Amino acid sequence: MKTFARLAAMAAVLGIAVCATQAEDGRRPAPGPLRVHPANPRYFTDGTKMPDGTLRAVYLTGSHHWDNLQDGYNPEVTPFDYERYLDLLEKHGHNFIRLWAWEHMTSEVSWHYEHKKQQFDPLPYQRTGPGLAVDGKPRADLRTFDPDYFERLRRRAEQAGRRGMYVGIMLFQGVASNGPRTWPGHV
């Protein structure tokens, strides 16, 4: 429970940081945290008032990619090009992404790289051991967060915010816990 509270607090800080980010290149940054629009709960509002005094409705749209937070690759594939991904979203007028978090270190099965082995990097926890994990690197210490992971998360949320995009931060996903083919990648 203590770990969840720390993650929730960190997500709140990241959300505030994204909203406070200013665009340096003339793009309109995401103006603030979203909430349900009071006149129509199918939409959100960022609190911006329209000329007639009503709240502006925000409709979220985006294109998903699994590796937009962590690189989920096999040794033959290069790391994910996040800037190019943001360029694509911006070109198509999208304003929302979910930073997808993988919970395991490696997987023998891939959903999106021709079913080749995958490795996920960075991870939320430091890999200090003792012992080695299934990928041959030190085991993760589940009591110690890896600052590089959270710095990447913050940086990517801020980059999207500067381009006027809202970010959903995924803390847990559970896909990697659903069977014998993915579970071994946790240790």
Side-chain angles (χ1 to χ4, degrees):
M1 190 63 174
K2 189 183 231 182
T3 299
F4 180 77
R6 288 174 62 194
L7 286 171
M10 187 168 289
V13 169
L14 287 165
I16 292 166
V18 171
C19 297
T21 302
Q22 297 298 315
E24 299 167 3
D25 58 4
R27 294 180 174 122
R28 183 173 177 251
L34 296 175
R35 53 194 171 280
V36 175
H37 197 289
N40 186 341
R42 292 185 181 99
Y43 291 91
F44 293 100
T45 183
D46 58 15
T48 302
K49 297 266 186 168
M50 302 299 288
D52 65 359
T54 61
L55 291 172
R56 180 176 87 110
V58 175
Y59 180 78
L60 299 177
T61 183
S63 293
H64 176 67
H65 196 286
W66 300 105
D67 297 341
N68 62 9
L69 174 58
Q70 295 162 287
D71 298 319
Y73 55 88
N74 65 50
E76 298 90 42
V77 179
T78 58
F80 182 66
D81 188 340
Y82 187 70
E83 283 294 326
R84 194 167 140 212
Y85 172 62
L86 293 178
D87 291 342
L88 173 89
L89 295 173
E90 194 171 46
K91 175 183 171 185
H92 292 286
H94 294 177
N95 66 350
F96 178 76
I97 61 172
R98 178 193 319 189
L99 290 176
W100 187 275
W102 295 100
E103 296 169 346
H104 52 314
M105 301 169 197
T106 186
S107 176
E108 294 295 327
V109 177
S110 167
W111 289 277
H112 57 294
Y113 287 125
E114 301 171 14
H115 302 288
K116 295 179 181 178
K117 184 175 181 172
Q118 289 180 272
Q119 297 172 342
F120 302 100
D121 187 61
L123 296 171
Y125 303 101
Q126 289 186 4
R127 297 191 67 175
T128 59
L132 299 178
V134 295
D135 61 1
K137 297 177 184 174
R139 285 188 177 212
D141 178 356
L142 301 182
R143 297 167 295 174
T144 309
F145 289 127
D146 184 346
D148 292 339
Y149 174 87
F150 292 99
E151 176 55 35
R152 177 185 275 205
L153 192 154
R154 174 188 288 277
R155 187 176 56 250
R156 290 192 174 186
E158 288 174 344
Q159 288 171 286
R162 282 192 295 271
R163 293 183 183 224
M165 297 175 201
Y166 291 95
V167 177
I169 298 171
M170 184 178 199
L171 300 177
F172 308 100
Q173 47 87 353
V175 171
S177 303
N178 66 358
R181 295 188 328 167
T182 56
W183 184 249
H186 287 86
V187 292

